[in-house]
């Protein structure tokens, strides 16, 4: 593995495809000092400030980190990393984690506007009770494997999910699946129905007032499979499309190659959104359950 001073880098214990990056205390302290120049309002209102915090992070590594993170995400064999503080301290609070997540993503690309939150990132809770209209915040139902950005016009090359905080949580593990590990990839990628245009829409809470059309599967520059799929939002036009989606969903959920891992508080999963699917297992019931997440999705610089 590559060595970057101030970081501990290894293969993640759950998969050879996932790189684990721990940020050492001394690095966190330097970052915290640098980040304190800006409050969250500046980060939210002034897009250039987001690049300044990203540069603070990269400067600590002689600009090695940005190159490494981009290499991981573009490499078909990996395409995913988990990054976070080695230790949680009073310095690594929620404000710091928003700034850190901003810094990391701005070394990779430009974030898309998150319509649900009305800014470039979204913070949201999963709790015992939920009255929302999508699976995202339903604690006691699996959030099935999917990719992000399926129902928007924005290009969504990558996504980041940061766990800001959690209390009284059992279950709710992260679930990841790489297309090249999935047993039925060839069969479904080669099914002509998967290359037809599907209509994708979304419920009210997403604040997206249009529908988009695209296939489930498409090829990358090397002819390898890529996917854009989520179970809740396609509107099958006929029986063939309906049955194809059911087969796809059943096959993804029954895959033995799913990676199931508990993301530490303060850490983020960042993944290529074309060949990694992500989801979440259901939580164990607890009336005081609370998990806060942050998400950012976006496109690569080039
Ligand atoms: Fe997602």
């Amino acid at each position: 593995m590559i060595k970057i001073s101030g970081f501990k880098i290894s293969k993640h214990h759950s998969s050879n495809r996932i790189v684990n990056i721990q940020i050492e205390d001394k690095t966190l302290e330097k970052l915290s000092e640098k980040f304190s120049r800006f409050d969250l309002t500046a980060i939210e209102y002034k897009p250039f400030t987001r690049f300044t915090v990203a540069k603070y992070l990269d400067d600590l590594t002689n600009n090695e980190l940005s190159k490494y993170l981009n290499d991981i995400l573009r490499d078909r064999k990996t395409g995913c990393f988990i990054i976070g503080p080695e230790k949680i301290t009073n310095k690594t609070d929620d404000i710091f984690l928003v700034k850190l997540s901003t810094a990391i993503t701005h070394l990779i690309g430009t974030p898309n506007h998150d319509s649900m939150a009305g800014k470039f990132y979204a913070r949201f809770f999963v709790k015992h009770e939920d009255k929302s209209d999508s699976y995202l915040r339903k604690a006691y139902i699996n959030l099935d494997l999917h990719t992000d950005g399926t129902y928007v016009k924005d290009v969504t090359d990558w996504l980041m999910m940061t766990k800001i905080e959690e209390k009284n949580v059992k279950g709710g593990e992260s679930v990841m699946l790489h297309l090249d590990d999935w047993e039925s990839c060839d069969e479904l990628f080669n099914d002509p129905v998967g290359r037809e245009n599907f209509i994708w829409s979304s419920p009210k809470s997403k604040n997206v007032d249009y529908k988009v059309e695209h296939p489930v599967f498409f090829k990358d520059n090397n002819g390898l499979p890529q996917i854009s799929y989520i179970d809740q939002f396609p509107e099958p036009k006929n029986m063939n499309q309906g049955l194809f989606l059911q087969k796809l969903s059943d096959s993804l959920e029954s895959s033995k190659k799913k990676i199931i891992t508990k993301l530490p508080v303060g850490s983020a999963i960042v993944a290529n959104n074309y060949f990694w699917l992500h989801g979440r297992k259901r939580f164990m019931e607890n009336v005081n359950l609370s998990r806060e997440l942050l998400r950012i999705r976006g496109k690569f610089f080039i």
Side-chain angles (χ1 to χ4, degrees), residues 140-151:
Y140 305 126
I141 304 175
N142 286 339
L143 181 60
D144 283 353
L145 287 165
H146 65 278
T147 60
D148 277 9
T150 53
Y151 54 86

Side-chain angles (χ1 to χ4, degrees), residues 101 104-105 158-162 268-270 294-297:
S101 301
I104 293 163
T105 51
W158 50 262
L159 68 118
M160 163 186 263
M161 297 288 299
T162 306
I269 295 187
V270 185
L294 175 152
R295 75 172 180 207
I296 304 180
R297 291 87 71 100

Side-chain angles (χ1 to χ4, degrees), residues 37-64:
R37 181 178 162 200
F38 302 111
D39 59 18
L40 280 193
T41 309
I43 303 261
E44 288 177 14
Y45 286 8
K46 295 186 275 189
F48 60 77
T49 301
R50 305 171 202 162
F51 288 92
T52 306
V53 295
K55 192 74 175 87
Y56 288 153
L57 175 61
D58 213 24
D59 279 347
L60 290 178
T61 68
N62 296 319
N63 304 310
E64 282 180 77

Side-chain angles (χ1 to χ4, degrees), residues 21-292:
I21 304 172
Q22 292 185 305
I23 311 172
E24 294 175 6
D25 270 0
K26 60 179 183 196
T27 312
L28 291 166
E29 275 191 22
K30 285 182 207 160
L31 271 181
S32 171
E33 201 184 306
K34 294 269 190 190
F35 285 174
S36 65
R37 181 178 162 200
F38 302 111
D39 59 18
L40 280 193
T41 309
I43 303 261
E44 288 177 14
Y45 286 8
K46 295 186 275 189
F48 60 77
T49 301
R50 305 171 202 162
F51 288 92
T52 306
V53 295
K55 192 74 175 87
Y56 288 153
L57 175 61
D58 213 24
D59 279 347
L60 290 178
T61 68
N62 296 319
N63 304 310
E64 282 180 77
L65 187 67
S66 55
K67 181 179 181 315
Y68 186 50
L69 300 184
N70 279 279
D71 288 349
I72 296 171
L73 288 181
R74 285 179 169 80
D75 184 349
R76 178 89 185 190
K77 293 192 287 303
T78 54
C80 181
F81 60 86
I82 292 179
I83 186 165
E86 191 180 14
K87 269 186 246 143
I88 293 293
T89 65
N90 58 359
K91 285 214 169 72
T92 55
D93 61 5
D94 63 323
I95 307 290
F96 176 82
L97 292 173
V98 174
K99 292 176 184 174
L100 180 64
S101 301
T102 302
I104 293 163
T105 51
H106 283 77
L107 296 179
I108 299 161
T110 45
N112 295 335
H113 178 75
D114 194 310
S115 304
M116 191 176 87
K119 46 191 167 192
F120 76 95
Y121 68 92
R123 280 174 73 165
F124 57 94
F125 282 94
V126 180
K127 287 182 181 277
H128 174 70
E129 264 193 40
D130 174 65
K131 295 195 175 68
S132 71
D133 52 10
S134 82
Y135 284 113
L136 181 65
R137 280 163 286 187
K138 303 252 177 276
Y140 305 126
I141 304 175
N142 286 339
L143 181 60
D144 283 353
L145 287 165
H146 65 278
T147 60
D148 277 9
T150 53
Y151 54 86
V152 295
K153 292 173 183 162
D154 312 69
V155 172
T156 310
D157 293 323
W158 50 262
L159 68 118
M160 163 186 263
M161 297 288 299
T162 306
K163 187 183 283 182
I164 292 190
E165 193 192 47
E166 65 183 13
K167 289 178 195 144
N168 306 303
V169 165
K170 273 195 187 141
E173 296 89 351
S174 305
V175 183
M176 302 291 293
L177 179 65
H178 191 296
L179 276 188
D180 296 346
D181 295 335
W182 174 39
E183 300 88 337
S184 307
C185 189
D186 274 354
E187 184 196 341
L188 284 155
F189 176 60
N190 290 314
D191 186 327
V193 182
R195 312 291 182 90
E196 289 178 5
N197 266 345
F198 285 70
I199 297 169
W200 306 78
S201 60
S202 54
K204 271 207 173 73
S205 66
K206 307 291 184 188
N207 298 326
V208 175
D209 61 0
Y210 56 81
K211 298 183 182 190
V212 296
E213 266 194 282
H214 63 76
V216 170
F217 287 106
F218 47 101
K219 289 179 183 173
D220 72 6
N221 290 336
N222 300 313
L224 295 171
Q226 296 189 311
I227 189 166
S228 178
Y229 164 76
I230 184 163
D231 55 339
Q232 200 183 342
F233 307 137
E235 295 178 358
K237 283 184 266 198
N238 52 42
M239 182 62 79
N240 273 352
Q241 290 199 345
L243 295 180
F244 175 84
L245 290 167
Q246 186 66 60
K247 191 173 176 187
L248 173 62
S249 171
D250 292 346
S251 166
L252 288 170
E253 293 312 307
S254 63
S255 172
K256 302 270 182 287
K257 303 290 184 166
K258 284 188 283 192
I259 297 157
I260 297 167
T261 188
K262 195 172 159 48
L263 185 69
V265 170
S267 286
I269 295 187
V270 185
N272 186 303
N273 192 45
Y274 294 123
F275 53 83
W276 275 103
L277 295 124
H278 62 279
R280 185 201 64 224
K281 290 193 74 168
R282 65 184 295 275
F283 293 81
M284 299 293 167
E285 197 161 335
N286 186 323
V287 290
N288 297 314
L289 167 83
S290 175
R291 173 182 286 176
E292 189 181 15

